[in-house]
Amino acid sequence: MDTSDPSRPGAEATPAEPSAEAPAQAPAEAPAQAPSEVSAETPARRRPRGLTTLIVACAALVGVVGGTATGYAIQAEREPTPLPPLSQADLAYPEKALPESKRPQPLPAKHDTAVKANGDLRKLLVGKPKGFREATGYFVNGVSVEDGWLSPGGRSLEYTEPGEVLVDSVRNGIRRVAAANWQRGEYEYVAVRLVQFRPGAVAEAQAEAESSRWDAANRTRSGHEEGRQVKAGSGAGFFVYEPDSKPGYLTVYGGRAVGYRGDVMFDLHFSDTKPLSEKAIKDLALKQLERL
């Protein structure tokens, strides 16, 4: 029953219960202005974004600069620290040179590669194999050997790209080429090339030998791409090529042996219309290696 009706008797003695939806009682004193009016007339001031980070960075920079300056100032006022004495003793030299009788003997010429190579390079060519005779030429586009010598340009003509070979040879310091061409029967040929380079910081003879080995490996028959060693630990190797067979032409069998000693690179070429003997190739290459 509703007891909030003021016209009913006893209404003044029993006050009405507040409704659940009625707002709470207002405070005794209201603020002078509503918050909405304050934000409308006076906007709130905000700190610029990143200002705190900038302040911290500036403080850190000032600290680093100040610390560095202070360190330099302190170090500048200190006395320099003397370096410790050297532990190496003074070098001692003999008062006078050894007498001639006690001086070590020079290396014999037969054991000195430089002495041997600086002489007549043609004398280091391997001896002509038994049954062979002198031949005018070996390579199709090459030139004839003149008194055991071949010019760098003449040697470059023996390659498929003579211009590039000549430029590389001159750049690498080629000095001279001793050469020999031999023939046995009608189609069997052997060509020997001793290529000497000028002394320098780079072992050009070794580089030339390795390049020639790589070229020979590209023509080697299947299963023998790495070649065979002429002598263990010598760095010299020999290769047997895939037969060159074309319709209407004789089949050509080829081989090559390459190595070096000091500043001289040796390059042996073999060709025949019959299969080549690996033993004959190895034996001749070994003799050439021993002469160097």
Side-chain angles (χ1 to χ4, degrees), residues 152-174:
R155 173 177 175 264
S156 67
L157 293 175
E158 299 175 346
Y159 291 81
T160 55
E161 298 179 357
E164 181 177 344
V165 172
L166 180 59
V167 170
D168 289 343
S169 298
V170 174
R171 182 187 297 117
N172 296 336
I174 190 171

Side-chain angles (χ1 to χ4, degrees), residues 98-119:
L98 290 174
E100 191 70 26
S101 59
K102 294 184 178 182
R103 293 183 185 179
Q105 296 297 320
L107 189 68
K110 63 179 181 178
H111 296 154
D112 193 338
T113 304
V115 172
K116 295 171 64 177
N118 286 334

Side-chain angles (χ1 to χ4, degrees), residues 36-287:
S36 60
E37 294 178 358
V38 173
S39 60
E41 295 180 2
T42 306
R45 299 180 62 186
R46 295 181 181 179
R47 178 176 293 177
R49 182 178 298 177
L51 182 59
T52 302
T53 304
L54 181 61
I55 293 174
V56 173
C58 291
L61 180 60
V62 171
V64 171
V65 174
T68 302
T70 303
Y72 272 108
I74 294 174
Q75 186 66 24
E77 294 177 357
R78 293 177 177 174
E79 293 293 332
T81 303
L83 295 175
L86 295 176
S87 59
Q88 182 178 1
D90 295 337
L91 297 178
Y93 297 94
E95 297 181 357
K96 55 183 178 179
L98 290 174
E100 191 70 26
S101 59
K102 294 184 178 182
R103 293 183 185 179
Q105 296 297 320
L107 189 68
K110 63 179 181 178
H111 296 154
D112 193 338
T113 304
V115 172
K116 295 171 64 177
N118 286 334
D120 190 343
L121 190 62
R122 297 172 298 178
K123 293 182 178 180
L124 296 182
L125 287 168
V126 67
K128 181 172 56 177
K130 184 178 180 179
F132 281 81
R133 64 182 185 275
E134 299 290 337
T136 56
Y138 171 82
F139 297 94
V140 175
N141 297 323
V143 297
S144 299
V145 175
E146 297 291 341
D147 193 24
W149 296 107
L150 192 65
S151 67
R155 173 177 175 264
S156 67
L157 293 175
E158 299 175 346
Y159 291 81
T160 55
E161 298 179 357
E164 181 177 344
V165 172
L166 180 59
V167 170
D168 289 343
S169 298
V170 174
R171 182 187 297 117
N172 296 336
I174 190 171
R175 180 180 172 186
R176 53 183 179 170
V177 182
N181 295 325
W182 303 312
Q183 180 180 359
R184 182 169 63 180
E186 188 175 0
Y187 299 109
E188 187 177 4
Y189 287 88
V190 174
V192 182
R193 303 290 183 265
L194 298 184
V195 186
Q196 187 176 25
F197 294 85
R198 301 185 187 281
V202 181
E204 296 298 343
Q206 179 181 358
E208 185 76 11
E210 292 176 353
S211 176
S212 299
R213 285 177 62 104
W214 179 83
D215 180 66
N218 288 336
R219 301 176 57 187
T220 303
R221 65 188 181 186
S222 179
H224 297 74
E225 290 82 358
E226 297 299 325
R228 306 290 181 84
Q229 291 190 65
V230 173
K231 182 179 180 181
S234 66
F238 67 95
F239 305 82
V240 179
Y241 297 158
E242 283 281 4
D244 185 5
S245 180
K246 297 179 182 179
Y249 294 89
L250 294 172
T251 300
V252 178
Y253 298 85
R256 190 174 185 180
V258 179
Y260 73 95
R261 274 296 177 269
D263 57 2
V264 178
M265 186 270 288
F266 71 83
D267 198 358
L268 279 61
H269 300 264
F270 303 84
S271 176
D272 197 359
T273 55
K274 298 179 297 183
L276 297 171
S277 167
E278 291 190 9
K279 183 179 183 304
I281 295 175
K282 180 179 179 180
D283 289 346
L284 190 63
L286 181 58
K287 290 179 180 179

